[in-house]
Amino acid sequence: MSSSQGTRWTWLRSGDEAFPAMFAAIDAACKSVCLETYTFSAGPLGERFRAALIRARQRGASVRVLIDAIGSFSLPDAFWTPLRQAGGEARFFNPVALKRLEIRNHRKLLLCDDSVAFVGGFNIAPEYEGDGVTRGWRDLGMRLESPLTIELAASFDAMFNLADFRHKRLVRLRRAALPQNLSA
């Protein structure tokens, strides 16, 4: 682990490094767990994540999950029923609609107790499990303890609250942000 000016970080170079560290952080969380990812698969790894999230919720932590609707297209909404029954929340970012296919959420973030964050390229899918050399895809991530985690929490909140794209304010904001020739 490296540190500098109140920030501590650890590079995570493979799923074999990232996933155990992520499970440990979820299992240590007391107040909140926020998970945001593009691809979440329902296989053994996804089931282990869901079980860890349910355990966190049973300890009294707030648990919220945000999954991209296209990146996780094969994941049935019913996968999240056990988490919802435990009092957690799960949402799909930008449910599929022809007018909005290009608006995706490729972010990968795990935030525990607003103080420990994981960022990088790891999706929750079997192809990310392994050492990145002999098995599994090679990707890079970081475990971060920093004052920046508060900004990551605010960013997660904003995306979670706008996930379904039914908010008129978001539509107006998107149109206002686009050049006039693209906003139609």
Side-chain angles (χ1 to χ4, degrees):
M1 178 163 298
S2 299
S3 66
S4 175
Q5 300 175 355
T7 297
R8 295 170 21 149
W9 69 90
T10 302
W11 288 111
L12 305 166
R13 295 173 292 265
S14 67
D16 283 352
E17 290 181 9
F19 296 135
M22 294 168 88
F23 286 127
I26 293 169
D27 287 338
C30 298
K31 295 181 285 186
S32 63
V33 178
C34 299
L35 175 64
E36 181 176 8
T37 192
Y38 181 70
T39 302
F40 193 110
S41 295
L45 180 64
E47 291 170 6
R48 286 186 5 234
F49 266 92
R50 182 182 61 193
L53 295 167
I54 290 169
R55 287 192 307 272
R57 181 65 202 119
Q58 290 169 338
R59 287 192 309 274
S62 165
V63 175
R64 295 182 296 159
V65 177
L66 182 59
I67 308 296
D68 187 81
I70 294 290
S72 299
F73 189 75
S74 65
L75 184 70
D77 186 60
F79 178 84
W80 297 110
T81 299
L83 176 65
R84 291 178 178 128
Q85 289 173 336
E89 295 181 74
R91 295 182 183 172
F92 285 86
F93 180 82
N94 192 13
V96 178
L98 292 177
K99 291 172 57 174
R100 301 185 317 255
L101 283 176
E102 73 281 357
I103 303 169
R104 307 287 18 120
N105 182 358
H106 286 270
R107 297 170 11 139
K108 288 89 176 175
L109 170 66
L110 171 65
L111 184 62
C112 297
D113 291 340
D114 291 346
S115 62
V116 176
F118 293 81
V119 296
F122 297 103
N123 284 294
I124 312 300
E127 53 269 22
Y128 289 86
E129 291 184 283
D131 61 11
V133 177
T134 61
R135 60 186 171 74
W137 292 355
R138 181 90 174 162
D139 222 319
L140 185 63
M142 177 185 290
R143 181 185 188 279
L144 179 68
E145 293 177 61
S146 166
L148 293 173
T149 58
I150 299 302
E151 292 180 40
L152 290 170
S155 174
F156 177 88
D157 290 343
M159 293 298 282
F160 191 80
N161 290 332
L162 298 173
D164 66 7
F165 271 70
R166 291 188 182 103
H167 301 277
K168 290 182 181 179
R169 188 173 3 149
L170 176 64
V171 171
R172 284 194 305 266
L173 176 65
R174 284 197 343 247
R175 285 188 179 145
L178 292 173
Q180 287 301 319
N181 62 341
L182 295 178
S183 63

